[in-house]
Amino acid sequence: MTDWNILSQPNFIGMANYQKLLTDQVARVTLFNTFYFTMISVPINVILTLVLAVLLNQKLRGISFYRTAYYMPVITASVAVSLMFMWILASNGLLNQLLGSVGLKPVKWLTDAKIALNSVIGVTIWKGLGMNMIIFLAALQDIPNELLEAASIDGANRFQQFTRIIVPLISPVIFFVTITGVIGSFQSFDLVYNMTGGGPGHATTVIGYYIWQQAFKYLHMGYGAALAYVVFIAILILTLIQWVLRKRWVYSEE
């Protein structure tokens, strides 16, 4: 509730920052981008990591190598990941060269307003696969083999075992991963900052980056704080909605 640029004394301005937020078109675009980022990245991440965990829960030769390889992006610095994909997705980058080799036109992965945000989402999903994979893998290894063996004797195939036994039993873990995924998507910053700087235009500007931009680039600390409170309220509401709906699909032993 202040007008403060860090260098001078803050001036109390009441609800003016929140009123400004209602008329800020960039903030609207940013919130839309953030919700889009969340709705696309979270479901894909949950589904891919669950499938990946099931595949890596098998007794295969060299399975430890594969588990380690999929987890490596998680502990790799965001700057390194950003630079790597900026090279891959550049106009004359590796991906466009591969497309050209099969006769396809190059794609402006990071400079086309209609594609750039999806490119960032793709990199975000790739970097975060290992974390949820480890969580799901731990949950899968906690399922008693006797249940799966009994289902197999009763004639259940692999898909039926997965949908009728595995998914219900690990539904609390799916719920946890979903909530943390939503919270993490609202906090997305580093890949956007490094790869696109919020551009082209504001096509990849998400709320975390916009808060930083207002507070530390333009020194609108009061407005940045107001945006942060809006994000807090949005995350709280989404978390409460998921918490209420969990009773309809999360398995409980009570």
Side-chain angles (χ1 to χ4, degrees), residues 158-181:
R158 290 290 183 89
F159 181 76
Q160 290 172 328
Q161 293 176 29
F162 177 75
T163 56
R164 302 295 180 86
I165 298 177
I166 294 176
V167 171
L169 287 178
I170 67 171
S171 57
V173 179
I174 297 175
F175 174 69
F176 167 78
V177 167
T178 302
I179 285 186
T180 56

Side-chain angles (χ1 to χ4, degrees), residues 15 48 52 82 85 120 128 131 141 189 198 203 227 241 253:
M15 302 297 290
L48 284 181
L52 190 60
S82 300
F85 276 96
V120 175
M131 178 60 72
Q141 293 180 352
F189 169 80
L227 287 167
I241 291 174
E253 296 182 355

Side-chain angles (χ1 to χ4, degrees), residues 74-118:
V74 177
I75 60 176
T76 303
S78 295
V79 175
V81 172
S82 300
L83 290 174
M84 180 180 71
F85 276 96
M86 287 173 67
W87 172 68
I88 293 174
L89 302 176
S91 298
N92 59 343
L94 178 61
L95 186 53
N96 277 334
Q97 290 183 22
L98 292 175
L99 293 177
S101 66
V102 295
L104 298 177
K105 294 182 179 179
V107 178
K108 298 179 180 179
W109 299 104
L110 299 177
T111 57
D112 188 331
K114 296 180 180 179
I115 300 176
L117 184 57
N118 291 318

